[in-house]
Amino acid sequence: MEPSVPNTAPTRTSWWREPLLHFAIAGAVLFGVDHVRNAGDEQTRVIRVSKDVDQEARVMFRNTLGRVPNDAEMQTLRARWVDNEVLYREGLAMRVDQGDATIRERVIFKALNVMQANLTLPPISEAGLRTWFEKHHAKYDEPDRFDFLEAVLVGKPGQADIDAFVAALNAGSAPQDGAAASTKSDLRVFSGRPRSNLVASYGAPFTASLEALPVGQWRALRSTDGVHVVRLEKKTMGERASFESVRTTILDDWKDATMQDLRTAAVRELGKKYTVSMAESAP
Amino acid sequence: MKKSFAVDKCAGSFTMAVLGVASLTALGVLPATVQAAEKAANKPAGKYVTGDFHNHTTCSDGTLSLRKLIDKSAGTFGLDWFVQSEHGGNGSRNCTLAEDPFEPAAPALNLPASSTIPSGGQPASAGKGPNQTWTSTIGNGAIKGDVSGTDTARNMWRWQMIQQYVYPVIEKESRDRNKPVFLGSEQNSPGHEHVSAAITEGQLPAAGAGNANALAMWEYCFDRNDTDKSRGADNQWDCAVPGSDKNGLLDAAARKIIVASGSGSGVAGHIKSVEGVKWMAAKFPKTSYYIPAHLERAGAFNPNGNNGYNIEHLRDFNNAAPTVSFGFESMPGHQAEAQRGSYSPNAVGGGTYGGTGIYAAKIGGVWDALLGEGRNWFFFGSSDFHNRGSFGPDQRETTADFFPGEYARDFVMSRTGSNKLGTQAIVDGLRSGNSWVATGQLIDQLSFVVCAANPGLVRKASQGAVEAAAVAAAAKSTDVSINGCASMGEKLVVRPGTDLIVSIVVRDPQGKSNSPYSFANPSLKQIGVTQPLNEPVLDHIDVIGGNVTGYVDPSNTAAYAGLIGSPAASNPSAVLAKTFNASTWTAGTDGTRKMTYRIPAAKVSQYLRLRGSNLPAAVPFETDASGNPLLDFGADGKIPCTDAACPSHMTVANGGKTSSFDVAAWSDIWFYSNPIFVEVVGSTKVAGIK
């Protein structure tokens, strides 16, 4: 039987007067040990302080203060845990967890952890790992990268002004001089931007046009958010990753991805016992 | 001199860099006939001082005592001034009691005294703490006004807290720290959500004991959640606004407007809020402020409830009391929450943008619409500190709020001359608009000035002299004070055709920020940039400019009122006017960045304002191709946090940790300045700036 609160602990009366929610050392981590409650304990009003509580308190204390707690300090730490447990149970009884997004997220997270503990990663052969790598190699390849300049267009110049501006730039003018007052501009420098970044920020057509530009020539290219006047400085072609050079990372990623799939399947399986109804969307 | 692609070093090479004000005028650098809004000689010396005016303790829904919060803010994080606000209404907990130190007490643990241990407070053996109730600590008999709460947990009305219990603690803290620490209130605004407000009248007198009676009365009269009808018990307050035609709405017994819930409550509530602002202006025009907080968070205005603000409500406040309602807190607190700023997708704009609400974050949006009228409407930020989320108050991580001064800071120009910094200088500074906000310690000095160029002087000399003055000002954390120049919140009056010289000097501080993380910024890692989270680097500064076209008449409903994106809430003339970065500014070894340019031949009245970030343009999920901040929700679960040191409290998506909570906030930091106006003679008058 787990020991109850030791007789040498501070009296209950003084516990109620202590700042229960401001445990400087424990912060919120001590709740990690709340899973040791035995089934039915809530109903019997029994609070069990297990060896897990002591162990976790010692670890935290040592991590924070650099030494193990003495007996008096352990008493205080246990008392704090008991106080938090009381508040937790009282809080559940008062249903203060209802409607609290943070608590909801935390419960979901913990349920996921419990479920994950019951999942077992299947073995994978070297050939299987290679196949997985081939399917996902884009994630590991060194991407194509682009260095380019942008002569930032100021104001809202029309196409004719932009064309004149580009011509002036290619003839040797600086961006700040502009071909006309309406096309004065500033300079942005982009170094080593991966293709995916450009596609996301400017769109695929812009990226394709940039790639096709002769180096050192200014052009006005249309993007998903308007025209940008750019000059390609350098293209660095990417490299396909070799399995051997990233094998460790691939194995870790395969494990994460497989566990993710297993978790999803497990949740879906649990979900089969629920009936889900969707509200109709507004027209 | 034509600038080349290389960094322009012309300004930095000037031997005129160390000129005084008198020399500049004597050399004819500035045209003698240009009229500035205020003569430099009339302005006492000033300094930018850091502060926060929106935060909470256990007296409302916070988690700390007054003392501990003040200690963190004015102590640990070194703010120069601090306004302790609290939700209005009532509360059951006694925040005037300090936390117990950890038992055994720190000296027994052989630990050095830490700035995180609260000053004063109760001895551990007495077993007191700020979560105890007023009932258990002072007794129900001492609680005044209408009864609220239960016999075991009676609520004390906020006006009594302010007047009787909290103010004395605040005043003592201020005296002990020799810093202005004073009281404000986060009003539950009738018809809306929240407002950061204060009335400093009576607080922190030069000698003797002060009081916060004026603030207490305002809270009783105008807070939506103060449903006490006792007239403040023995105070017997009457909330009538001098000369108002709305005084007929006052409840006969409570002597304040009581808004019924339900249909029409938003409209009726707004009327009461305007009355509150008028009351402040009538009674305390120079010692109060009223700044709507996180104003996009609760969605658009709801005529039948208490939600957010549309632009017309902000215009109403400013029209009613321009010396009191002069800006908004569009950069909210709660910057480390999963829903950054505590903005849900139901907020106007769907969330925050680089930590700022859409009203200020969007070029050409609400803020620019108000500035485009020539209105004195300024930008502020705050911590809105409540708690650290999953972490304790003495831990450096947080999944909810940063402490005041830890992440966001308001830098406010306070002109005290040789006198001590006090409440009046702070309020005057806030009202002046000569202020700026920075997060993550992105910059800690800013000098932003617009001067009229002297056509009789060569361009280089003119610009160099202005920049030298800006450099000197930034180094002293002050502003340029020269006739013919204007700083933030001011206007420069010029003849048509005058060239304008714009000079910006900032300091990107060396060393480490307050971020507890030193691993590479995950947002920047996406574009191949390695930058430790606790050593951020300013990437660029944008200058945003727009035209001033005059105040909109309230009777012109289409131009006065509307939702975001409507003509009323837009300024189509506002554009990104200029951008500076490492290619175009001059960098000093001490972190200073200076940049100066000329706007030729000003023809129309206009304004300029600044923003800057550590994030360049086109950072996935963070900024668009023009450098505008993207919706923070769009980054949820998208930016990998793969460094081995990435903390365990990060959100996990697709099997891996992603940048979230405080890491996301430290990754994405900004500064915003307030505007400088230019009034061109014969063009629209910038009526809101004197």
Side-chain angles (χ1 to χ4, degrees):
Chain A
M1 181 174 130
E2 296 293 338
S4 59
V5 176
N7 291 333
T8 52
T11 64
R12 189 171 178 79
T13 305
S14 62
W15 292 347
W16 286 117
R17 292 177 181 230
E18 288 163 358
L20 303 174
L21 299 181
H22 300 294
F23 187 173
I25 285 184
V29 184
L30 258 185
F31 65 62
V33 228
D34 64 1
H35 67 278
V36 296
R37 188 180 312 113
N38 291 330
D41 274 354
E42 293 92 331
Q43 301 305 317
T44 63
R45 307 261 173 130
V46 173
I47 295 177
R48 298 175 193 278
V49 185
S50 71
K51 291 190 174 61
D52 286 351
V53 172
D54 281 358
Q55 179 59 22
E56 187 145 352
R58 282 194 195 93
V59 167
M60 264 193 324
F61 192 96
R62 187 178 59 232
N63 289 344
T64 307
L65 289 178
R67 61 171 178 82
V68 294
N70 60 31
D71 288 345
E73 288 156 353
M74 275 306 300
Q75 294 300 335
T76 303
L77 289 165
R78 287 191 189 111
R80 287 286 187 272
W81 185 88
V82 168
D83 295 337
N84 283 342
E85 178 66 16
V86 166
L87 279 172
Y88 177 63
R89 294 191 191 187
E90 291 297 311
L92 286 180
M94 289 189 283
R95 300 177 59 129
V96 298
D97 56 322
Q98 301 294 300
D100 188 318
T102 304
I103 292 177
R104 179 183 159 84
E105 280 175 22
R106 188 66 194 158
V107 169
I108 291 169
F109 178 69
K110 291 190 77 179
L112 200 58
N113 280 343
V114 170
M115 193 185 57
Q116 181 163 303
N118 295 322
L119 300 175
T120 307
L121 201 63
I124 187 164
S125 65
E126 195 70 2
L129 199 57
R130 278 187 182 270
T131 304
W132 191 87
F133 165 69
E134 288 302 324
K135 217 169 142 190
H136 299 92
H137 74 86
K139 187 182 166 190
Y140 307 98
D141 296 342
E142 177 58 29
D144 298 339
R145 291 185 182 273
F146 300 84
D147 291 20
F148 64 100
L149 305 177
E150 178 184 359
V152 179
L153 290 172
V154 174
K156 295 169 185 174
Q159 190 60 50
D161 285 333
I162 294 174
D163 291 342
F165 180 50
V166 171
L169 289 172
N170 284 325
S173 295
Q176 293 86 345
D177 296 328
S182 61
T183 55
K184 283 200 186 302
S185 114
D186 300 302
L187 195 66
R188 285 194 185 117
V189 178
F190 296 87
S191 301
R193 292 297 187 106
R195 178 188 295 279
S196 59
N197 176 198
L198 301 188
V199 170
S201 296
Y202 299 91
F206 172 96
T207 307
S209 300
L210 179 71
E211 185 172 17
L213 284 184
V215 168
Q217 282 287 304
W218 290 97
R219 292 283 190 275
L221 301 182
R222 188 158 291 279
S223 79
T224 47
D225 84 331
V227 173
H228 294 265
V229 174
V230 295
R231 187 175 91 177
L232 181 66
E233 298 289 277
K234 187 170 82 168
K235 280 187 297 194
T236 307
M237 300 316 292
E239 250 183 66
R240 193 180 160 97
S242 78
F243 176 80
E244 288 73 17
S245 65
V246 293
R247 189 190 179 282
T248 307
T249 305
I250 291 164
L251 181 60
D252 287 340
D253 288 352
W254 171 83
K255 285 178 183 172
D256 288 342
T258 306
M259 283 306 298
Q260 175 68 22
D261 290 341
L262 290 173
R263 278 193 297 268
T264 303
V267 172
R268 296 280 153 79
E269 189 61 32
L270 279 176
K272 285 179 181 172
K273 59 184 175 182
Y274 294 91
T275 302
V276 178
S277 76
M278 302 281 189
E280 284 184 15
S281 303
Chain B
M1 169 179 132
K2 273 192 181 181
K3 287 187 178 179
S4 68
F5 279 96
V7 171
D8 179 13
K9 299 207 188 300
C10 293
S13 67
F14 272 112
T15 55
M16 291 168 71
V18 191
L19 287 176
V21 171
S23 306
L24 286 168
T25 307
L27 284 169
V29 170
L30 302 164
T33 53
V34 166
Q35 171 192 347
E38 182 173 8
K39 296 292 182 193
N42 294 340
K43 291 197 284 189
K47 194 175 173 194
Y48 290 109
V49 288
T50 57
D52 185 285
F53 55 56
H54 181 177
N55 45 77
H56 301 272
T57 70
T58 59
C59 271
S60 63
D61 59 352
T63 50
L64 301 186
S65 69
L66 277 172
R67 288 190 182 86
K68 191 170 182 88
L69 179 61
I70 294 168
D71 187 57
K72 287 288 190 188
S73 313
T76 306
F77 293 107
L79 291 177
D80 298 313
W81 55 272
F82 181 67
V83 185
Q84 203 284 304
S85 67
E86 211 69 80
H87 291 294
N90 57 40
S92 64
R93 295 181 294 171
N94 184 347
C95 63
T96 66
L97 300 174
E99 287 81 356
D100 280 352
F102 175 69
E103 289 179 320
L109 292 173
N110 294 320
L111 292 174
S114 160
S115 62
T116 61
I117 294 174
S119 57
Q122 304 294 321
S125 58
K128 300 293 187 187
N131 280 299
Q132 297 183 89
T133 60
W134 295 109
T135 297
S136 69
T137 54
I138 65 168
N140 289 343
I143 299 175
K144 299 177 181 174
D146 294 349
V147 171
S148 170
T150 64
D151 284 345
T152 52
R154 186 72 59 81
N155 292 321
M156 181 183 288
W157 296 104
R158 181 70 186 144
W159 56 259
Q160 184 184 2
M161 279 188 229
I162 290 170
Q163 200 174 25
Q164 193 172 345
Y165 291 96
V166 173
Y167 179 75
V169 174
I170 293 289
E171 185 172 275
K172 183 174 187 309
E173 285 288 325
S174 183
R175 305 276 190 234
D176 289 349
R177 294 176 186 277
N178 198 28
K179 286 185 179 182
V181 177
F182 52 103
L183 272 183
S185 185
E186 187 186 8
Q187 184 202 35
N188 299 287
S189 175
H192 306 284
E193 200 190 8
H194 296 150
V195 171
S196 293
I199 302 174
T200 60
E201 192 81 18
Q203 297 194 53
L204 306 187
N211 66 79
N213 296 339
L215 178 67
M217 180 177 175
W218 180 80
E219 191 281 332
Y220 167 80
C221 289
F222 298 106
D223 196 284
R224 164 166 48 87
N225 284 6
D226 193 309
T227 53
D228 178 34
K229 294 182 184 175
S230 74
R231 298 179 64 182
D234 42 359
N235 289 294
Q236 286 300 287
W237 287 317
D238 186 311
C239 306
V241 177
S244 172
D245 62 357
K246 301 288 188 290
N247 287 333
L249 298 174
L250 267 63
D251 178 87
R255 295 305 296 159
K256 63 180 175 183
I257 298 175
I258 296 176
V259 177
S261 60
S263 176
S265 57
V267 173
H270 176 67
I271 289 172
K272 179 173 177 176
S273 286
V274 174
E275 287 297 290
V277 169
K278 286 162 57 180
W279 186 93
M280 285 170 134
K283 293 179 180 290
F284 308 106
K286 297 293 187 189
T287 54
S288 54
Y289 62 78
Y290 186 86
I291 299 173
H294 48 70
L295 58 173
E296 303 93 339
R297 186 171 81 171
F301 175 71
N302 175 5
N304 301 309
N306 301 294
N307 291 91
Y309 306 80
N310 296 347
I311 192 171
E312 62 268 26
H313 306 106
L314 308 181
R315 287 179 166 131
D316 287 348
F317 293 143
N318 185 251
N319 284 343
T323 66
V324 172
S325 183
F326 46 73
F328 56 5
E329 219 178 293
S330 185
M331 180 186 281
H334 304 307
Q335 290 277 335
E337 282 196 13
Q339 296 190 326
R340 193 166 176 189
S342 202
Y343 279 36
S344 76
N346 295 326
V348 180
T352 51
Y353 294 74
T356 291
I358 195 169
Y359 282 179
K362 179 180 163 63
I363 296 178
V366 166
W367 191 21
D368 286 313
L370 295 166
L371 296 179
E373 292 182 81
R375 231 175 248 278
N376 62 319
W377 194 260
F378 305 122
F379 175 92
F380 303 99
S382 79
S383 66
D384 200 354
F385 179 82
H386 283 72
N387 60 71
R388 300 292 271 185
S390 302
F391 294 93
D394 296 309
Q395 293 178 281
R396 294 190 66 196
E397 304 93 332
T398 173
T399 55
D401 306 330
F402 292 106
F403 281 111
E406 180 183 9
Y407 180 76
R409 295 181 168 196
D410 287 279
F411 291 76
V412 175
M413 171 52 64
S414 293
R415 299 192 187 283
T416 59
S418 56
N419 297 325
K420 195 171 132 177
L421 183 62
T423 58
Q424 191 62 58
I426 304 299
V427 177
D428 288 345
L430 291 170
R431 184 188 314 111
S432 75
N434 195 344
S435 65
W436 44 285
V437 184
T439 57
Q441 293 86 63
L442 179 63
I443 61 170
D444 68 350
Q445 288 175 358
L446 169 65
S447 177
F448 175 31
V449 64
V450 177
C451 301
N454 187 335
L457 216 61
V458 295
R459 294 164 64 103
K460 194 164 124 175
S462 228
Q463 288 178 216
V466 172
E467 187 171 276
V471 168
K476 293 180 183 159
S477 292
T478 187
D479 61 347
V480 173
S481 192
I482 301 173
N483 291 335
C485 297
S487 294
M488 290 177 283
E490 297 179 342
K491 73 176 174 187
L492 180 69
V493 181
V494 299
R495 294 201 180 84
T498 301
D499 283 6
L500 304 173
I501 301 172
V502 181
S503 192
I504 304 159
V505 177
V506 299
R507 185 171 74 173
D508 180 350
Q510 309 297 283
K512 298 188 177 2
S513 72
N514 290 326
S515 166
Y517 309 113
S518 57
F519 60 90
N521 182 323
S523 298
L524 289 171
K525 205 169 172 183
Q526 299 177 104
I527 58 168
V529 172
T530 300
Q531 188 178 109
L533 273 173
N534 62 349
E535 293 180 67
V537 175
L538 177 68
D539 179 81
H540 68 277
I541 294 177
D542 293 330
V543 183
I544 294 156
N547 295 338
V548 174
T549 52
Y551 275 55
V552 176
D553 194 293
S555 63
N556 183 354
T557 315
Y560 189 86
L563 297 173
I564 188 145
S566 67
S570 303
N571 181 351
S573 73
V575 294
L576 176 65
K578 200 96 175 104
T579 188
F580 291 97
N581 51 51
S583 301
T584 48
W585 62 39
T586 303
T589 53
D590 60 348
T592 54
R593 310 285 182 250
K594 53 187 184 183
M595 57 225 83
T596 302
Y597 72 105
R598 180 178 287 253
I599 298 174
K603 295 185 187 60
V604 295
S605 296
Q606 57 194 275
Y607 65 89
L608 299 172
R609 62 180 177 87
L610 309 177
R611 72 178 183 194
S613 179
N614 66 323
L615 300 178
V619 174
F621 312 110
E622 295 282 30
T623 55
D624 69 12
S626 300
N628 296 307
L630 292 172
L631 180 65
D632 290 320
F633 273 123
D636 276 4
K638 299 281 191 347
I639 301 174
C641 192
T642 54
D643 195 288
C646 190
S648 59
H649 63 275
M650 294 295 98
T651 303
V652 171
N654 297 319
K657 289 184 210 165
T658 59
S659 180
S660 43
F661 299 111
D662 51 349
V663 168
W666 288 114
S667 299
D668 175 19
I669 55 180
W670 292 78
F671 84 85
Y672 283 82
S673 84
N674 275 304
I676 298 176
F677 290 89
V678 176
E679 181 178 296
V680 176
V681 175
S683 178
T684 308
K685 194 164 173 53
V686 179
I689 308 293
K690 303 297 175 245

